[in-house]
Amino acid sequence: MCGIVGYTGARPALSIVLDGLHRLEYRGYDSAGVAMVSDGELLVEKRAGKLANLEKALDELPSGCGMAEGTTGIGHTRWATHGSPTDRNAHPHLSRDNGIAVIHNGIIENFAKLRVELEAAGIEFTSDTDTECVAHLLAEETAALDGGGRPEQRLAEAMRRVCRRLDGAFTLLAVDARAPGAVVGARRNSPLVVGRGTGENYLASDVAAFIEHTRDAIELGQDQVVLITPDSVEITDFDGRPAAGKDFHIDWDASAAEKGGYDCFMLKEIAEQPRALADTLRGRLGASGEIQLDEVRLSDQDLRDVDKVFIVACGTAYHSGLVAKYAIEHWTRLPCEVELASEFRYRDPVLDRSTLVVAISQSGETMDTLMALRHAKEQKARVLAICNTNGSSIPRESDAVLYTHAGPEIAVASTKAFLTQLVACYLVGLHLAQVRGIKYADEVSAVVEQLQAMPSKVDRVLETMEPVRELARALADSRSILFIGRHVGYPVALEGALKLKELAYMHAEGFAAGELKHGPIALVDQGTPVVCVVPSPAGRGVLHDKVVSNIQEVRARGARTIVIAEEGDEAVVPYANDLIYVPRTPTLLAPLVTAVPLQVFACEIAAARGHDVDQPRNLAKSVTVE
Ligand code: F6R
C-alpha cells in the first residue's frame, strides 16, 4: 500500500526521498509525489503512474528552482482509495496558502463530514482525496497557534489537534514552509518508523526506505505524533504527553532487498524458499522436545483450555490456513475453522476465552486481518499470530507470536512467505497437540524431523523446474487454466489459481476435485489446461485413487492434464499430458513441495505475457485498508 518517506538533515533531500520511494515500490502504487522545503518555500511535484513519470517531471524543472537543494522533504507512492489515480489526486496535498504539504497512508473515515465543514468555511478542494482535508485542517490549526512557540512545535501541536479529530487508519507526514528542517508524523492503525542518523533523521512506512543510511530505528506506537529535526526526535501521544516508541536495530541486510542477480524479486524469493524454511524451523525444538514460539503471553493452561481454533487470514495466507486446518484437526482433535479475515467479524462468529484465533499475515499490517484479530480480542478469545514482519501491528496485538523467518518479501505475489506460513502452521499444530497431551515429545520431534527434510526437498523441486517453465511458455496464450486437488491439495489448487490470476491476468480457478462433477466440469473443453495436484499413493490410498479418477474425468472431456504427483507414482502416467514429479513427502506436508511448481508456472506465464511480475496491476503488497 502507500509508501511514505521523510528526511531532514544536511544533505539534499530529493535524492534520498526518491531512493526511499524506489525501495518502497514493492508495496504497490499508482502515482507518486514529493514536497521539498527549500529557502522558506514549499516545492511540490507529483505524477500519476510509476516513479519514472515523476522523475521525468523533476528532470524537466528549471535548474536552480530549489527542488534539488532542499534538505528537508517528504515523498509518497499512492495506492488509490479515495479518488482515481491521477496527477491531481497524487500526494502530497497542500493547504490553501501552499504553506503545508501532507502525505498519507490509510483511510480517514470521517473525511466527508470534515470536507463539508471546510467547504462551508470557504475552502475549495483541489482533489477528490480524503487526505486533502488534513492539509487544510493543519493550516487552520497552525494559524490558530500563530505566535505560540517555535514553528516546528506549532506544526507538531497542530498535528496532534488534527489527529484527535480524525477517525480511521492513517500514517501522516507533514512539512511546513515556515518550519524548515522539521518533518512531523503521526500514526493510528497504520505503520510509521523513525530512522535515526547522525545530524539527520528519517521517517518511513517501513525500514526498507532508509536501510542504506541507518539501521537504528524506532517504531512509533499507536496514536503517537513524532517531530523530527536533523538533531532530535520528539514523540508524544495525541494529547501532547511525552511518549516513547520502541527502539530496534534492523538486522536484515540491505542486499536482502535487492534482486541479487535474478530478473525479478519473485524469482529470487522462489529460489530463497529452502533457506527461508530452514530459518523458520531453526531452534524450534526446546531441550525437552517442546516447540518454541517467539513470544508467548499465554500460559500452557490457557492453551489446554482451548476448545476451538479459528484461523483468519487473507489471500495466500488464507490458503496456508486452509492447509493448517487438516494438520491441526488431525494432530490436536480440536475443531478448526478457517475464515477469510474480511468476512470474519461480519457474521458474528461464536468466540469466547476458550477459542484460539490464529491470525496469519506476512506483512502483519493487513487491515482485514487486524480488524478480525481485534474483534476476536473484544470477544475475549486468545490470539496467536503467524507473521513475517517483526514488530508489526498483528503480532504486537496478539497473545503469542510465531515469526516466519522468510526475510523481506518484496514481490507482491507471496511465495516464500506462503511456504514458511505452512511450516509455522504445522509448528503451531504440534505445539497445541503437545501442550494438550495428545502428542508426546518423540512424536513431535518425528514430525519436526520430517519438516527439517523439507528444505532439501524444495531444493530438489527447484532444480527440476525447466520443463515447467517450458510448459508455461507453451500455455501462455491459454484463455483459462483450471486447478484441481483434494484434501491439502485443494488449497494448493486455490493458491496455484490465485498466483496465475494475479500475475498473468488470466482466468484461473481452483476446485476441490470431487466438486467438479457438481458444476465446474462444464468449463472443460477441448484442450482446456487442467492442473491436477495428486496426493501421495503411500499416504492415503483412497484419496490418491479418487484424484486419479477425477483426472480421467476431465481428460475424457478433452482437457490437457498437467499432473503434479509424487516420484514413482506410476498410476497417473497414462492420464497425464504433462507430468511434474515432486519428492516423496508425508501427505500433510505435501503442499510444501506441490505449491512450488505452481509458483514457477505462474511467474513464467506472466513473464511470457510481458507483465511486470513483481508489481502486478491493481495490487499492493501490504493492504492496509479494509
Ligand atoms: C497473493 C498475496 C496476497 C496476500 C494477502 C495477505 O500472492 O500475496 O493474497 O497473501 O494480501 O497479506 P498478508 O500475508 O501480508 O496479510
Side-chain angles (χ1 to χ4, degrees), residues 313-318 360-366 369 394 409 411-415 421 495 498-499 502 620-623:
C314 305
T316 290
Y318 168 73
I360 310 175
S361 172
Q362 186 286 129
S363 60
E365 298 294 349
T366 300
T369 311
I394 289 171
E409 193 177 61
V412 166
S414 194
T415 52
Q421 281 160 357
E495 176 61 7
L498 174 62
K499 285 282 136 341
E502 65 179 326
K621 182 67 185 164
S622 175
V623 185

Side-chain angles (χ1 to χ4, degrees), residues 36 44 51 92 101 127 167 215 316 323 331 401 553 572:
M36 298 291 135
V44 176
L51 275 169
S127 76
D167 295 336
R215 278 147 188 279
T316 290
V323 174
W331 289 335
V401 186
E553 281 161 18
V572 293

Side-chain angles (χ1 to χ4, degrees), residues 25-62:
E25 276 191 290
Y26 74 89
R27 298 170 72 93
Y29 69 104
D30 37 40
S31 61
V34 292
M36 298 291 135
V37 184
S38 183
D39 236 356
E41 246 194 296
L42 201 54
L43 302 162
V44 176
E45 201 59 60
K46 47 191 195 168
R47 284 290 181 277
K50 294 286 172 194
L51 275 169
N53 295 358
L54 171 67
E55 285 166 329
K56 183 162 175 287
L58 289 165
D59 285 344
E60 286 164 4
L61 289 175

Side-chain angles (χ1 to χ4, degrees), residues 36 122-123 170 188 198 241 322 325 362 367 448 514 523 535 539 554 568:
M36 298 291 135
I123 289 175
F170 48 84
R188 166 179 287 166
T198 309
R241 286 183 289 260
L322 289 176
K325 174 184 166 75
Q362 186 286 129
M367 190 53 75
V448 173
L523 290 169
V554 290

